[in-house]
Amino acid sequence: MNYSKSKNYDTETIRQKIMGPNPVKLTEELLKDIGLKKGSLVMDLGSGQGVTSVFLAKEYGVRVIAADLWSDPAENMRFFEQMGLTAETILPIHADATALPFPHELFDAVICIDAYNYFGRDKAYLGEHLLPFVKHGGYICIAVPGMKKDCHDDLPPELLLSWTPEQLDYIHDAAYWEDIIRAADGAEIISIHEMESNEEVWNDWLATDNEYAKGDRKTMEAGGGKYMNFIAILLQRK
C-alpha cells in the first residue's frame, strides 16, 4: 500500500509520540474504503498521545474527540495546538472506554487503533458500551494486533521473548474477533480481515528509541512476526 497521507507524519515529533506499531499507517489503511465526510464528528477511542487524532483532523477534515483513559488531556491539547489545531476541531477527553461520558447517537464514526483488544474482548462490550454512542448508519473502524492463528495452547518460544502468556492473551486471530463481534446486536459487519501493513508498521515502531519498542525487538528479531498480524474490523451501526 502507498501511504500517501502518512508520509506527512514521518517526523521526529510523531515518532516520539507513538506508543506501538505505526498508528498513522494503520489508520490510513483502515479508512481507505470508508468515506468519512468532512465536518463529521469522530471519536478516536484509546487515542493515546493524540497522533491518530491529529491525523484524522488534518487529513480527513473531521472533528475529533480524542478519548483516552491514561493520557493527559492538557498535554494532548498542547500537542494539538502545536500541530495547528484548535479545540473547535479536536478536543481531548479523559474517558474510560467502558463508561463513556457522551450522549447516545453522538458520533458519525468511532476509530480505535491498537487499543480495542484491551477492553473489547468482553462480548457485551460492543453492544452495551460502544454502539449506543454511534449514529445509525455510522461506522466503527478498529485495528487490533492479532495472530494469524490462535496458538495460546502452545505458544511459540519466540513470542515469549518479549511477552508473557498473560500479555499475549490480548492478541487473537480474526476468527476470535468475528465471534466477539457477532455477539452484538445492531452492528453490521462490513469486513474483518488481515491488514497489509503488519511488517511495515512494526518496523517503524522497532526503529524508535521507546523502551517498550526495545523490548519488542527480542521477539521480532527472533522471527516472531511470522505468527502475528494486524486485523481490521469494519462495522456499521444498523
Side-chain angles (χ1 to χ4, degrees), residues 22 54 65 68 80 87 112 115 120 131 145-146 168 174 195 202:
N22 193 325
V54 168
I65 300 294
D68 194 81
F80 299 155
C112 187
L131 268 180
L168 289 165
M195 300 178 74
W202 269 103

Side-chain angles (χ1 to χ4, degrees), residues 27 141 156:
T27 303
C141 304

Side-chain angles (χ1 to χ4, degrees), residues 104-126:
H104 286 185
E105 300 184 30
L106 178 65
F107 296 101
D108 297 290
V110 173
I111 312 297
C112 187
I113 306 296
D114 200 1
Y116 194 83
N117 50 313
Y118 292 111
F119 46 78
R121 292 176 299 139
D122 180 351
K123 287 186 176 182
Y125 176 75
L126 177 61

Side-chain angles (χ1 to χ4, degrees), residues 8-175:
N8 299 324
Y9 298 82
D10 185 18
T11 67
E12 185 58 31
T13 297
I14 298 300
R15 285 192 289 271
Q16 290 178 0
K17 291 260 179 202
I18 66 173
M19 301 169 69
N22 193 325
V24 177
K25 288 180 178 176
L26 287 170
T27 303
E28 184 170 358
E29 180 179 346
L30 190 67
L31 296 179
K32 64 186 177 69
D33 296 319
I34 299 294
L36 292 182
K37 294 181 180 178
K38 288 187 177 181
S40 59
L41 183 61
V42 173
M43 173 169 47
D44 185 3
L45 180 59
S47 56
Q49 297 191 64
V51 170
T52 49
S53 303
V54 168
F55 183 69
L56 288 165
K58 293 178 77 71
E59 299 300 323
Y60 297 88
V62 297
R63 295 174 296 134
V64 181
I65 300 294
D68 194 81
L69 181 61
W70 303 112
S71 61
D72 179 1
E75 182 178 339
N76 278 357
M77 193 66 231
R78 287 191 290 271
F79 170 54
F80 299 155
E81 290 171 346
Q82 176 188 346
M83 299 299 289
L85 298 165
T86 69
E88 292 181 357
T89 300
I90 185 168
L91 185 66
I93 296 289
H94 182 264
D96 184 334
T98 63
L100 293 168
F102 306 114
H104 286 185
E105 300 184 30
L106 178 65
F107 296 101
D108 297 290
V110 173
I111 312 297
C112 187
I113 306 296
D114 200 1
Y116 194 83
N117 50 313
Y118 292 111
F119 46 78
R121 292 176 299 139
D122 180 351
K123 287 186 176 182
Y125 176 75
L126 177 61
E128 295 181 9
H129 299 286
L130 186 55
L131 268 180
F133 301 101
V134 181
K135 294 176 182 177
H136 293 279
Y139 295 103
I140 297 177
C141 304
I142 299 164
V144 290
M147 290 182 174
K148 292 183 180 295
K149 185 174 178 58
D150 270 13
C151 55
H152 295 279
D153 293 334
D154 186 21
L155 287 167
E158 300 97 315
L159 298 183
L160 296 171
L161 292 173
S162 295
W163 306 299
T164 66
E166 291 75 21
Q167 289 171 318
L168 289 165
D169 193 40
Y170 289 97
I171 303 175
H172 289 273
D173 63 13

